[in-house]
Amino acid sequence: MGLAFRKIWRDMRNNLGRTALVVASIAIGVLALGLIVAGRTLMARQMIVSVTASHPTTLQLSVSPPIDDATLRMIRRQPGVAGARGVIYSGIRWKPTPDAEWADATLIAIEDFTTQTYDLITLREGAWPGTNQVVIEHSHVAPYGPPPIGGMLYVDVNDRAKPLALAGVVRDPKAIGPPFTSQPTFYLTRDTLANLGRSDRFNSLQIEVADFSQERADALQHSLTTRLEDLGVAVTDAEITAPDRHFLQDVMDGVTMILTVMALLSLGMSTILVINTINAILAQQVPQIGIMKTIGGLRGQITGLYLAGVVIYGLLSLLIAMPVGAYGGWALARWMMDLINVTVSDFEVLPSMLGAQFVTGLIVPVLAAFWPVVQGVGISVREAVSQYGLGTGNYGSRWIDRLLARVQGLPRTWSMALRNTFRRMSRAALTEVTLIGAGVIFMMVISAQHSFESTLAMIFRGFGYDVIIGFTSWQRIDRVTPILEAQPNVDRVELWQFANAQTRRPEDPATVADRELLVRGIPRDTELFTPELTAGRGLLPDDDRAILLNQDLAGEMGVAVGQRIELDFGDGPAQTWTVVGLIYDLAGRGRTAYLYRDILARDLGFVGRGSVAEIRLEANSLGAQLEAERELRQALEAQGIGVGFTETQLVARGEAGAQFGILTTILLIMTALIGLVGAIGLSGTLSINVLERRREIGVMRAVGASSLDVGVVFMGEGLLLGVASWVASVPLAVVAGQWFVRNLNETIGFNGAYYFAEHSVWIWLAIVVSLSLLASWLPARRAAGISVRESLAYE
Amino acid sequence: MNTMSLPDLVHVDTVRKNYTGPAGDVTVLKGVSLTVKPGEFVGVRGPSGSGKSTLINMITGIDRPTSGAVTIAGTRIDTMSENTLARFRGLKIGVIFQFFQLLPTLTVLENTLLPMEFCRVWKPRERAERAFALLEQVGLTDQAQKLPNTLSGGQQQRAAIARALANDPPLLVGDEPTGNLDSRTADRVFQLFADLVAQGKTFIMVTHDNELAARIPRVIQVQDGVLLEGHEHHASEYRAYSANGHVVGESHGLSGAGHAMSAPAASTPSAA
């Protein structure tokens, strides 16, 4: 059968445009799949490598007040504890040169950098820090611009710039860089920390659970919490991470799952494209199929020929998809792993990815083309060889043909475009599927982004602050408020109280563990706090022990509006509060509650004091917020008031948005890929239509049609297909968007609301119109260039 | 040789053909019967829409009758499966089309070889030898490696004839095989047909050309789906001419169903 294969090969070579179309159709889907398979495999492997190499701890406890070495030794001796290290987290202001502006930084100190056992911080350059020296996390070097190793940076100690030498650069497996953080992390010894006026006691315990299991870790957390409480130390936060999982594994798994779904969608759409294109190719090959049958070709022989052709298309597509997928997957893994401070090895090609692509690139197109080929080859010899002249086919026998024939008043070329659009219903339908799919996915992704941003805006609107300042100790409200109000651009100042508590329902038995709670005490006359309520009501001026609870926490505890909870601040007996409302709040991992400051102050013994200032500005652009943040801090420190942390709303929103922004960027890239499939499909459909209607074009030319007339027919068809897909995609996107956003939120652990992005409808209309015109331009131009002689001569 | 005693090569028995289309039901053939003996040269004539192409399609198996039977070389073809029919046709019937229908991406030689490959006849080494011999017979050896679109109409039709002869079928059928050629070329191609008949092939062709029809020994008239009684005629003096005008075979008018020509003198291939 060598000759017949030669025919197939030459058919491909002589129709490079069509060959390129089919190859591109297959390559896109295979490329997307390969890229994601490679990316996922590399990321999963490198995350495990990174975790296991660092000898991770599995239970992290934040404690208050910080503990000393003796307590740490006691913890190490507890049953179930295989090992533990103490860590001190602190904050400071720093600058790289004496003239620079102060910026926030995180300080981390451990017992001894040279004899680490857990969560290994590795030295990359330079030396471990000595006295009055620091080292910096390597992923923070480029974004924050510290001096070179050996150079001096400056930290704020009692309003004086104290120089510290930069001794080296390290990699901390638990550190991540921008855009997830907005400040650098410096590592230093405990004595240097003490020299900076900070406590050298441990406020974080990182523990290796012996013979790790989730049950053992839970039990150990409970026992250690009880043991520490007996010593007057509260556990303010606890986190358990399995030893073979990166602490961001869940997020990365979710992200890669979404990307896999998108890749499969790309593959599905490219498969539809292949079906459509093979159908069209076979339609063109009908006379030749008839001849081959006339001269003795069996159906099986001819079917095998064309399927072999599809295999060749698949092999050609692999030439593109394999190298691009391999490099793209590695690049994707490297980019994503860089974000979470995991090292990815130099470029490598994964056999598993190659295997998956090879199989997909060959088998999927053959499966897609099988039925079209069988159908096409099944045409009777009579039909196949009798195709000459224009023929009438059976156009006019369907209800849609007769319906469209009644549409009058359009220019003749537009009438033809309209009727031609529906001449080949199955081909049009397949083309529409890819365009509709692309539109739905685009609107879903934009709606997801819009939902996230709207949720954030709603939440931050509920807080109402432009700048927030945390003090190092409780401050008198009547002292701090005038200082802040006197600063320019300040519109309103409210002093709040932030406190940590344990909570439970009064009726819960002792076996039910308390839950951590971040309590915010708000002034009765607050103007800033206007939260989004999901049940019940807000706090009323004459409320006493009324509390607003985060809806997630309420759900976990089984607490409804009207029911009561107990709050235990550690000093004094627990107090009972009535839940009057549930609020939508994402702060504190969903463990927040809001009540009146004056009542909280009575319970805590800090009447007339606040721990946090929330400030609303008159002008609140980013620049204004940052300037105000600086000036307010200076004003407070000038009065000897210690400032612990400051934050502007726009920076906080930006950091929260950055994580989602990365995900939506990746999703939009995948959407662009799917959109490209849709455009290729449309262009291919129109190209094949031009080839099929060559004789019609010739007749049009023979009766006076200009090139423009011919072009309008085909571009009109393309535009109609595009716009029709847009009409169909909008309602689907509204419904699918809800499902998509819900699953996306679950994946990234964000309990956001769904907001359909209406602007995405119009953006997609503009895109699909542009794509349609672009996709139809070349076929239309080709059609317009066909002469009467060329099209009506026998070929 | 008197072919009257030979069994029928083609036997069409009361064939009816109906079509159902957008315009309704149409009966194209209304119970047609026809026999053709081996070695006959038969023309089929009739006005447009008379059913002559449909009749040819029945004989080649390209189409199937609604009722009736079609038998070729003793084998009934109207009840065969598509695959069996395709193989049978490849071996027993050479079809020549009005628009040549050469596969455009195969050379002349390759188009000629293709039926042999499909039907797996001749050993592979023999196929090329045979293909060249066929091209020589039709005068296309110099064009063997050319693609169809570089050839003239006459050359393409001769290539199509070589292809039709590839598996040495006893029956050749042409539906307006000269319809797309100028008269001079048509004449030369027709001569080729005559030469093939002289070599023992049976040839049935549809033609509109009066001149050519006059040269065909037996011409059947089709009108409105029936063979007209009394309108089948036999050329009273049929002569086969070589390209240089020499008579290479002739017959003398005989009534009856058909007869073979007298054995022709050796002829050279005509160059159309």
Side-chain angles (χ1 to χ4, degrees), chain A residues 1-4 6-8 10-11 14-15 287-302 305 379-388 392-394 397 794-795, chain B residues 17 19 22 57 61-63 82-87 89-91 93 95 97 99-107 109-111 113-120 147 156 163 167 180:
Chain A
M1 294 301 296
L3 266 184
R6 225 180 284 176
K7 171 202 136 43
I8 297 295
R10 286 183 201 158
D11 282 346
N14 290 351
N15 291 280
Q288 296 189 39
I289 292 170
I291 294 305
M292 285 194 280
K293 281 186 168 185
T294 307
I295 61 175
L298 301 178
R299 193 166 173 170
Q301 287 175 315
I302 302 170
L305 272 184
I379 189 171
S380 75
V381 178
R382 183 185 69 81
E383 273 184 76
V385 300
S386 64
Q387 288 187 4
Y388 67 95
T392 56
N394 61 354
S397 58
Y794 175 72
E795 64 171 335
Chain B
K17 181 64 186 178
Y19 288 111
N57 285 347
I62 285 173
D63 202 354
E82 276 296 327
N83 262 355
T84 310
L85 182 54
R87 186 49 53 84
R89 186 169 45 229
L91 293 169
I93 308 172
V95 184
F97 298 94
F99 292 103
F100 326 131
Q101 304 282 24
L102 295 169
L103 297 189
T105 53
L106 294 180
T107 62
L109 178 67
E110 288 166 343
N111 266 282
L113 285 165
L114 193 60
M116 299 182 213
E117 273 203 14
F118 274 138
C119 296
R120 296 192 174 99
L147 291 171
Q156 288 190 58
R163 182 182 65 187
N167 292 334
N180 213 34

Side-chain angles (χ1 to χ4, degrees), chain A residues 449-594:
Chain A
Q449 191 177 36
H450 182 63
S451 297
F452 185 84
E453 287 171 359
S454 299
T455 302
L456 279 186
M458 173 187 69
I459 290 164
F460 279 97
R461 206 167 39 240
F463 284 111
Y465 73 89
D466 293 313
V467 179
I468 187 169
I469 296 175
F471 304 114
T472 55
S473 58
W474 293 90
Q475 299 295 327
R476 283 190 13 236
I477 296 170
D478 57 2
R479 182 188 174 211
V480 169
T481 305
I483 296 171
L484 295 173
E485 285 177 341
Q487 301 310 307
N489 197 26
V490 170
D491 180 45
R492 181 167 175 86
V493 175
E494 292 182 6
L495 270 282
W496 290 23
Q497 291 181 346
F498 281 17
N500 294 342
Q502 304 280 316
T503 186
R504 62 191 295 109
R505 294 185 308 175
E507 63 271 27
D508 283 341
T511 50
V512 174
D514 290 355
R515 286 181 165 80
E516 309 298 327
L517 193 58
L518 304 173
V519 177
R520 278 91 167 92
I522 62 173
R524 283 189 187 261
D525 61 346
T526 182
E527 288 180 13
L528 302 184
F529 186 60
T530 53
E532 189 80 11
L533 287 163
T534 61
R537 60 167 177 83
L539 295 174
L540 297 175
D542 54 357
D543 274 336
D544 189 19
R545 287 191 180 275
I547 191 168
L548 298 177
L549 198 57
N550 181 289
Q551 61 163 7
D552 286 340
L553 182 60
E556 271 181 42
M557 293 175 69
V559 170
V561 170
Q563 292 180 335
R564 297 187 305 167
I565 59 173
E566 288 180 353
L567 296 189
D568 183 357
F569 292 97
D571 297 327
Q575 299 290 341
T576 304
W577 296 74
T578 304
V579 178
V580 298
L582 302 182
I583 63 167
Y584 192 82
D585 179 19
L586 297 178
R589 294 204 300 273
R591 300 187 171 285
T592 49
Y594 296 81

Side-chain angles (χ1 to χ4, degrees), chain A residues 699-710:
Chain A
V699 170
M700 282 170 67
R701 287 286 208 191
V703 299
S706 66
S707 297
L708 182 64
D709 291 328
V710 173

Side-chain angles (χ1 to χ4, degrees), chain A residues 77 206-207 209 256 422 451 473 484 519 524 527 559 570 666 760 767 792:
Chain A
R77 290 194 299 268
Q206 291 168 354
I207 297 158
V209 178
T256 51
F422 298 97
S451 297
S473 58
L484 295 173
V519 177
R524 283 189 187 261
E527 288 180 13
V559 170
I666 297 172
S760 68
I767 292 172
L792 291 181

